[in-house]
Amino acid sequence: MEKQNDHKKFSKKIWVLSAGIIVILAIVLFAGIKNGFFLRKGDKILYAAYHTIKDQPETADVSENEDYTVSVDGQWKKQKIQAEYASASDQKQLKGTIDLDKLPDLEFVMTLDEKELKTQLPSLSSKVFTYDYKNGGKSGYLAKKIGSEKLERFDAILEELYGGNEQKTIGTDILKEARKEFNKLKINKTEKKEFKIDGQKRNCAGYQFTISKDNAQNVLDAAEKAVKKKYGDGTKISADPVGKVFMVFYDKISAAGEMECSVYLYQNKLAAVSVNYEDDENAQNIDVLFLGGDFRTQNMKIAFLTGEKTTTIQTNISGNLAAKDGTITFESDDTDSLSGRISVQKCCQISELTGEECNLMKLNGFELLELFGEFAGFGF
């Protein structure tokens, strides 16, 4: 009987010990997963990128529809930039000043609501120029010259800018393809490298990989396909205003050839990223250092090497951009690069456009010529 009790006690101890080991293993496994210990090299980089972006001040509950204002004040290629974007529930407004070389500054105000775009250029005319993107009625000289197909695409863009969510869908489709291409890459671990993060020198794990022209092209093709899905299979992205910017980026990447990339991580966040490639037989290099602070992206240093010229831009984030109450500043050591600040604040004030309304898409050739004469300061 005593042996049986001893056997029961021994079995109980084994069970308790086993349960304890299972709990410990579960804790270790959870900690390992949380800290990325069991991830593939590529997944560790993606995991770090995600947590770098996520590493922001605690965000208060903010409604997506809450009114806000984005202010831009800076300089690029010796041209001053001043603009303010206000977003309210029923309308959006962009206003600012364009610094024209050897000409008077041009002020502009553009307001977009659920049916039309209104524009006023106070230094040229007191008229309010309207463009109805909802109800058609485009029969004037400009409408015929531009063509119905391009106008329909422009209408779709304005509708999306006013209140659509398709941009998020397009971005998701592109990211899916980028992730697919990234998983194809052969990633090698390299020696640790020292970087200054949060004011302290840190040893950071390094990884290297090469992005081929095919990898980049596949992502760019996916981007084009995603946009076409929204605006129609016949859409040529280069014909759209926003698409022109995309095509500049598209052409740059397409001409770049292979890109040698190095990524360094510290505590499951990005410490540094370096990209080397050739463009028109000139060596190109981009280095991004995540200097940290209260969060990893609070202070960053970005260096661009083109040929033998290096341009450096330093950024700093104050406040809480995600909560629509913060500012990001850019300081460059080159007058041809962007310097200035972008601020985001809750609430907004929409300026009312007053003046005689003029529908540009209904003007005939003579009326259009008369309008240009008014811009130039003389009439017909």
Side-chain angles (χ1 to χ4, degrees):
M1 191 72 178
E2 188 175 337
K3 287 183 179 180
Q4 189 175 0
N5 288 334
D6 289 342
H7 178 72
K8 286 182 179 180
K9 289 179 182 178
F10 179 74
S11 298
K12 186 176 181 181
K13 288 180 180 179
I14 291 293
W15 185 89
V16 171
L17 181 61
S18 299
I21 291 173
I22 290 171
V23 170
I24 291 171
L25 287 175
I27 292 171
V28 170
L29 181 62
F30 176 77
I33 292 172
K34 184 178 179 182
N35 291 283
F37 295 144
F38 306 116
L39 297 176
R40 297 181 305 161
K41 298 185 188 77
D43 288 334
K44 283 185 178 182
I45 295 172
L46 295 177
Y47 183 84
Y50 169 75
H51 279 277
T52 303
I53 296 170
K54 189 180 177 183
D55 184 23
Q56 299 288 334
E58 289 297 322
T59 304
D61 292 333
V62 179
S63 169
E64 289 187 5
N65 297 321
E66 187 170 1
D67 297 353
Y68 65 93
T69 302
V70 179
S71 303
V72 180
D73 189 3
Q75 181 173 305
W76 183 63
K77 290 189 175 181
K78 299 181 181 179
Q79 302 296 311
K80 292 180 181 178
I81 302 171
Q82 184 193 6
E84 183 178 282
Y85 173 74
S87 175
S89 59
D90 59 343
Q91 55 187 327
K92 322 294 177 186
Q93 187 173 84
L94 178 65
K95 59 184 177 182
T97 303
I98 300 174
D99 181 11
L100 300 174
D101 190 27
K102 298 179 182 179
L103 289 172
D105 292 352
L106 179 64
E107 295 180 43
F108 66 90
V109 184
M110 305 173 71
T111 303
L112 182 67
D113 61 25
E114 62 181 354
K115 67 173 184 177
E116 64 183 355
L117 172 68
K118 292 182 178 181
T119 304
Q120 192 166 42
L121 309 169
S123 55
L124 295 180
S125 173
S126 61
K127 289 185 173 68
V128 176
F129 303 104
T130 65
Y131 178 84
D132 189 335
Y133 69 92
K134 276 287 190 180
N135 302 312
K138 306 174 184 71
S139 57
Y141 180 83
L142 274 180
K144 291 176 182 177
K145 280 292 182 182
I146 296 172
S148 59
E149 187 177 344
K150 290 182 179 179
L151 288 175
E152 285 174 5
R153 290 200 294 269
F154 185 54
D155 293 347
I157 291 172
L158 291 179
E159 187 169 356
E160 185 63 38
L161 288 174
Y162 176 70
N165 292 312
E166 196 65 29
Q167 296 298 336
K168 294 181 181 179
T169 304
I170 291 173
T172 301
D173 289 346
I174 297 171
L175 284 174
K176 283 181 181 177
E177 188 63 32
R179 174 71 182 266
K180 189 189 301 182
E181 291 300 317
F182 190 79
N183 286 336
K184 295 178 183 178
L185 303 179
K186 181 181 179 181
I187 299 174
N188 299 311
K189 194 167 184 178
T190 61
E191 291 184 7
K192 289 186 175 182
K193 193 171 180 179
E194 194 175 77
F195 293 96
K196 196 171 184 179
I197 301 173
D198 302 335
Q200 301 290 327
K201 290 182 179 180
R202 311 289 190 184
N203 282 322
C204 305
Y207 301 89
Q208 288 183 336
F209 53 91
T210 300
I211 299 176
S212 70
K213 285 193 69 171
D214 288 341
N215 295 138
Q217 195 66 47
N218 288 340
V219 176
L220 292 172
D221 290 344
E224 185 174 14
K225 183 179 178 181
V227 175
K228 282 183 176 180
K229 187 167 70 174
K230 166 62 181 174
Y231 298 118
D233 290 339
T235 299
K236 294 292 183 184
I237 294 180
S238 58
D240 292 327
V242 178
K244 290 183 184 296
V245 177
F246 170 80
M247 287 307 297
V248 170
F249 176 76
Y250 185 100
D251 293 339
K252 277 281 185 184
I253 296 296
S254 296
E258 287 189 346
M259 288 180 278
E260 300 292 336
C261 304
S262 298
V263 178
Y264 293 90
L265 313 181
Y266 177 71
Q267 291 187 340
N268 298 308
K269 295 170 191 169
L270 296 176
V273 176
S274 180
V275 181
N276 296 278
Y277 62 96
E278 282 193 1
D279 183 12
D280 296 330
E281 298 183 355
N282 290 320
Q284 308 276 337
N285 173 256
I286 302 173
D287 287 326
V288 182
L289 302 180
F290 298 83
L291 304 176
D294 294 331
F295 49 94
R296 189 60 58 88
T297 57
Q298 183 175 32
N299 294 283
M300 297 170 60
K301 183 178 180 180
I302 308 167
F304 303 89
L305 171 65
T306 303
E308 297 181 353
K309 180 182 178 182
T310 300
T311 301
T312 301
I313 298 175
Q314 290 196 275
T315 70
N316 169 265
I317 298 174
S318 59
N320 192 332
L321 293 175
K324 297 173 181 167
D325 183 21
T327 299
I328 178 169
T329 59
F330 303 83
E331 290 187 12
S332 174
D333 59 1
D334 187 348
T335 54
D336 285 343
S337 295
L338 177 65
S339 292
R341 65 179 184 176
I342 301 173
S343 300
V344 186
Q345 293 180 324
K346 294 178 184 177
C347 300
C348 69
Q349 185 173 355
I350 304 291
S351 300
E352 185 179 354
L353 301 186
T354 58
E356 178 189 351
E357 292 195 354
C358 175
N359 189 331
L360 289 174
M361 293 299 118
K362 289 187 176 181
L363 297 181
N364 59 38
F366 180 77
E367 290 169 329
L368 197 60
L369 188 61
E370 190 175 35
L371 179 62
F372 291 152
E374 181 183 337
F375 287 170
F378 56 87
F380 290 92

